[in-house]
């Protein structure tokens, strides 16, 4: 995409949003209903699932009144949806951005991805933040990736049935009911839920996609070695079954926030 640099190597990738281009704005417009509601709901010819209602609901009900920490997390997750949809053709996002139960951030897993060629489900964790006073872009990214790793390592080993019930419901809402892989995704999630219920869940059973979303000056770029080194160690430690690591880097939140606000009619 125009304004977006992207490099993929083995099991990791670096994506830098160098400017908030018209192409990226259009990608948000074209995909927002699918991102927020899931492909199945978005395919329905209903006013509540169309772009005008979705962007207004996003801004008014879910985003504008939240604390900064929640807003930056939501924007990191929103950008993750767009980048995966546009730049990772092997993966389908099979969970909606909107939490159906309440107007808050998603409980459990941030995103679910389906890899069609291998019939794999990938549990995805997004950690977002700014650089902070005492960190470089590299140290901040490394800290976000470690947070994502540790969060999922803990959650995937918990005997917590709700994580998997939420994931199953999310997949049902998100995947188009005519998609051939719908039953496969739900069966995989139900099998993991069975393990959690029987205290047999382990992090190493799962394919995991970790994403850091850093909002800081893009002129201070994230070194590829930072992401490469983190990924190499993660693979060597065998914490998870298979891993993917994505580093997202964008400047401030301001232009994205201003775009969403304007699109919502404010």
């Amino acid at each position: 995409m125009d304004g977006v640099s992207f490099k993929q190597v083995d099991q990791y990738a670096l994506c830098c949003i160098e400017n908030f281009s018209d192409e990226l704005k259009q990608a948000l417009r074209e995909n927002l209903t699918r991102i927020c509601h899931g492909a199945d709901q978005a395919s329905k010819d209903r006013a509540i699932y169309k772009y005008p209602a979705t962007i207004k609901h996003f801004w008014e009900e879910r985003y504008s009144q939240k604390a900064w920490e929640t807003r930056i997390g939501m924007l990191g997750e929103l950008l993750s949806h767009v980048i995966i949809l546009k730049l990772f053709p092997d993966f389908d996002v099979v969970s909606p951005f909107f939490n159906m139960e309440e107007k808050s951030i998603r409980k459990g897993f941030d995103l679910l991805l389906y890899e069609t060629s291998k019939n794999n489900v990938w549990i995805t964790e997004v950690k977002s933040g700014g650089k902070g006073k005492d960190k470089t872009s590299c140290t901040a990214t490394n800290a976000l990736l470690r947070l994502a790793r540790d969060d999922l390592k803990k959650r995937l080993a918990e005997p917590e049935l709700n994580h998997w019930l939420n994931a199953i419901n999310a997949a049902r809402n998100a995947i188009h009911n005519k998609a051939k892989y719908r039953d496969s995704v739900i069966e995989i999630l139900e099998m993991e839920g069975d393990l959690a219920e029987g205290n047999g869940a382990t992090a190493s059973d799962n394919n995991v996609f970790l994403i850091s979303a850093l909002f800081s000056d893009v002129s201070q770029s994230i070194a590829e070695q930072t992401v490469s080194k983190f990924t190499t160690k993660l693979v060597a430690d065998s914490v998870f079954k298979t891993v993917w690591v994505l580093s997202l880097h964008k400047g401030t939140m301001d232009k994205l926030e201003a775009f969403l606000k304007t699109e919502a009619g404010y």
Side-chain angles (χ1 to χ4, degrees):
M1 285 187 289
D2 183 40
V4 178
S5 67
F6 182 73
K7 182 176 184 179
Q8 179 179 325
V9 182
D10 298 327
Q11 291 167 263
Y12 68 87
L14 289 89
C15 178
C16 181
I17 300 168
E18 295 164 346
N19 66 76
F20 192 46
S21 65
D22 289 342
E23 189 177 355
L24 183 52
K25 290 175 185 176
Q26 191 57 29
L28 277 162
R29 290 188 188 104
E30 289 173 354
N31 292 288
L32 190 73
T33 58
R34 176 183 172 182
I35 289 168
C36 290
H37 302 293
D40 191 47
Q41 306 282 45
S43 69
K44 298 174 182 176
D45 189 25
R46 312 297 305 191
I48 57 173
Y49 301 130
K50 290 185 177 178
Y51 182 74
T54 301
I55 186 66
K56 189 175 181 182
H57 179 76
F58 173 84
W59 182 263
E60 281 185 359
E61 303 291 335
R62 293 177 181 264
Y63 184 83
S64 61
Q65 301 303 313
K66 296 290 195 298
W68 178 85
E69 292 82 1
T70 302
R71 297 201 323 271
I72 198 170
M74 291 178 75
L75 292 188
E77 194 175 323
L78 181 62
L79 286 175
S80 297
H81 273 269
V82 175
I83 295 303
I84 290 168
L85 282 168
K86 297 294 287 185
L87 299 177
F88 286 85
D90 293 340
F91 294 98
D92 277 344
V93 180
V94 293
S95 59
F97 181 47
F98 282 173
N99 178 359
M100 296 296 108
E101 294 76 29
E102 53 185 286
K103 298 168 187 175
S104 184
I105 56 175
R106 172 164 295 286
K107 302 295 192 297
F109 309 127
D110 290 338
L111 286 85
L112 299 173
L113 307 179
Y114 180 69
E115 187 182 15
T116 311
S117 62
K118 296 181 180 177
N119 190 35
N120 282 335
V121 170
W122 293 71
I123 309 297
T124 306
E125 181 72 14
V126 184
K127 291 297 182 188
S128 308
K131 190 176 68 172
K133 292 180 180 178
D134 302 322
K135 291 180 180 175
T136 65
S137 297
C138 292
T139 56
T141 292
N142 193 57
L144 291 171
L145 289 174
R146 283 189 281 109
L147 274 175
R149 175 199 65 198
D150 294 346
D151 255 23
L152 271 194
K153 182 180 177 181
K154 176 177 178 288
R155 239 175 302 151
L156 289 170
E158 287 175 339
E160 178 52 74
L161 200 58
N162 245 13
H163 296 333
W164 300 102
L165 291 173
N166 285 339
I168 291 161
N169 288 333
R172 284 203 175 102
N173 282 327
I175 305 170
H176 196 286
N177 62 10
K178 293 181 181 176
K180 293 178 180 176
Y181 59 78
R182 193 172 195 259
D183 290 344
S184 294
V185 171
I186 291 168
E187 183 177 0
I188 290 167
L189 293 171
E190 286 176 339
M191 287 169 64
E192 285 300 321
D194 288 344
L195 290 172
E197 174 63 12
N199 292 321
T202 64
S204 59
D205 288 339
N206 295 274
N207 303 303
V208 164
F209 203 118
L210 303 180
I211 303 174
S212 62
L214 179 67
F215 291 85
S216 72
D217 186 352
V218 294
S219 67
Q220 298 177 26
S221 61
I222 298 163
E224 182 181 341
Q225 185 182 9
T226 299
V227 184
S228 170
K229 189 175 178 181
F230 176 87
T231 307
T232 300
K233 187 174 189 312
L234 188 63
V235 171
D237 289 346
S238 300
V239 176
F240 306 108
K241 184 177 178 181
T242 318
V243 298
W244 247 103
V245 176
L246 171 62
S247 161
L248 285 178
H249 192 190
K250 190 187 179 303
T252 65
M253 297 159 55
D254 299 350
K255 288 184 179 179
L256 179 52
E257 274 194 333
F259 169 76
L260 294 168
K261 184 177 181 179
T262 302
E263 291 286 292
Y266 291 94

